Amino acid sequence: MQTAALAREAGRTPTNRLNDLALAVANAHTMLRVDLAQIALTELAATYDDEALRARQDIRARANKPGLGRWSAQVQSMAQDYRRLAESISQDTIIDINIGAENSLYLTIDGRLVAISSPRMNEQPAFEQSIITQFCTLNRCDELLDMPMATPARTVADRTGTTRWSFSQNAGPVCEGSDGLQFQFNSMDNLGRKRDVCARTVAELDTLTAELANRLAFGVRIDWERIMIRSLPGGEEQVTLNQEGDYIQQSLPTLAQRRDLFRLVRPWLAAKAKGTPYPLVVLNAGRLLGEPGFPLE
């Protein structure tokens, strides 16, 4: 029996039911891990099949948009790859279960890391529920899913931003957030992780700008050139607004870990807080949104 390696960031626990199920299965019987991996990969393949179909429909509806054909072909290839990987799994396959720094589920299949996530953030809950339903049709889940959940030592924001992904002939995958904010990546590698961290970044930026707008409405001066973010011992983050000591305290873990990105988006923050359009394309987003041990490019 192969022992699953459970890699979790210190002090963090998962917050969704699929993660709960995966962690319960991590050190259980081999066949439970086999079932979970096969079901998750098959569901990934079906999801990317749907994404490829949408791209082909977009080609017919928007024939003048370059790159959609290439995007459709690459996504279809990913679907086929996930399906082949699912079919290759046997009782002898080494299956490791990991929870990443963004609280996302990863399976390592004979050394290959796969993010178990939908390419569309708003469809992630249904995607996860489908995996759970299929797994629990084959296996008894009463004990696996009824275990009490531990309280996280650090609050992880459950909010996810509304993002849209596109691909063009002149650029790699682009994650589009709100109000003109785009993150341009150099490759299709680690698309699941890119989707996760981009959605969380957009969510935290949207939350922060709403609070910044409130502060401006109450006459608080914000020094946009020096606005800074730092993590507090208690688990939240503090955003210093000016030299007078005004600050905002919120849960912004993704932004706090990516200070180069935070400095880069300060002009966009200022414009959005003031209600002014400000298109911003973040180049080399894989470098800015990545983290040690989890490269995105």
Side-chain angles (χ1 to χ4, degrees):
M1 174 177 177
Q2 302 293 343
T3 300
L6 177 60
R8 282 186 291 176
E9 185 180 2
R12 277 185 153 167
T13 55
T15 58
N16 62 60
R17 299 296 277 171
L18 180 58
N19 284 10
D20 290 345
L21 176 62
L23 294 182
V25 167
N27 292 304
H29 191 276
T30 300
M31 286 310 300
L32 291 179
R33 295 198 301 281
V34 168
D35 283 348
L36 180 63
Q38 288 179 331
I39 290 168
L41 288 167
T42 301
E43 189 66 19
L44 266 179
T47 301
Y48 276 85
D49 277 336
D50 290 343
E51 188 68 18
L53 176 60
R54 289 172 175 172
R56 290 194 294 271
Q57 292 171 340
D58 281 347
I59 291 172
R60 291 191 291 269
R62 303 152 68 185
N64 62 340
K65 186 172 182 180
L68 282 174
R70 182 181 172 194
W71 169 258
S72 174
Q74 291 200 21
V75 172
Q76 189 67 67
S77 177
M78 292 174 70
Q80 294 169 354
D81 188 36
Y82 287 137
R83 191 171 289 109
R84 284 193 295 267
L85 186 58
E87 293 170 353
S88 73
I89 294 174
S90 70
Q91 293 187 56
D92 297 324
T93 302
I94 298 175
I95 303 171
D96 293 344
I97 296 176
N98 305 272
I99 305 299
E102 299 301 329
N103 208 44
S104 300
L105 174 62
Y106 299 94
L107 299 182
T108 304
I109 313 296
D110 277 342
R112 177 179 170 182
L113 185 68
V114 179
I116 307 303
S117 56
S118 167
R120 292 181 180 250
M121 193 64 190
N122 63 335
E123 296 178 4
Q124 182 70 12
F127 169 78
E128 293 183 358
Q129 185 57 51
S130 179
I131 295 173
I132 293 172
T133 300
Q134 293 176 64
F135 180 88
C136 293
T137 299
L138 296 176
N139 301 284
R140 292 177 59 89
C141 288
D142 294 346
E143 294 182 1
L144 294 174
L145 285 175
D146 284 344
M147 295 184 305
M149 291 179 59
T151 301
R154 174 186 177 88
T155 301
V156 178
D158 291 332
R159 298 179 302 274
T160 52
T162 300
T163 58
R164 185 169 67 89
W165 286 81
S166 62
F167 191 91
S168 71
Q169 191 171 10
N170 299 320
V174 176
C175 173
E176 302 180 27
S178 58
D179 297 332
L181 182 62
Q182 297 184 2
F183 296 90
Q184 182 175 310
F185 297 90
N186 295 327
S187 73
M188 292 277 291
D189 296 344
N190 300 310
L191 187 61
R193 289 215 300 269
K194 289 171 180 174
R195 192 270 300 165
D196 287 341
V197 70
C198 188
R200 290 192 175 274
T201 299
V202 168
E204 291 182 16
L205 286 171
D206 287 346
T207 300
L208 178 57
T209 50
E211 186 59 32
L212 289 169
N214 287 337
R215 298 301 175 93
L216 288 175
F218 282 99
V220 175
R221 186 184 71 85
I222 299 177
D223 187 344
W224 297 106
E225 293 296 323
R226 292 182 174 83
I227 184 172
M228 297 176 61
I229 184 170
R230 68 185 182 93
S231 298
L232 299 175
E236 289 195 319
E237 283 67 42
Q238 179 174 296
V239 181
T240 302
L241 305 180
N242 53 45
Q243 292 182 334
E244 289 75 42
D246 292 306
Y247 65 89
I248 292 171
Q249 189 166 319
Q250 288 182 325
S251 177
L252 304 167
T254 309
L255 293 177
Q257 294 169 7
R258 295 160 177 85
R259 296 185 183 182
D260 288 344
L261 172 67
F262 187 72
R263 283 191 288 269
L264 184 63
V265 300
R266 285 186 300 197
W268 180 87
L269 282 171
K272 184 173 180 181
K274 298 172 185 176
T276 304
Y278 190 96
L280 175 64
V281 178
V282 177
L283 301 175
N284 299 313
R287 177 181 64 82
L288 291 166
L289 290 178
E291 59 189 58
F294 285 87
L296 293 179
E297 299 288 13

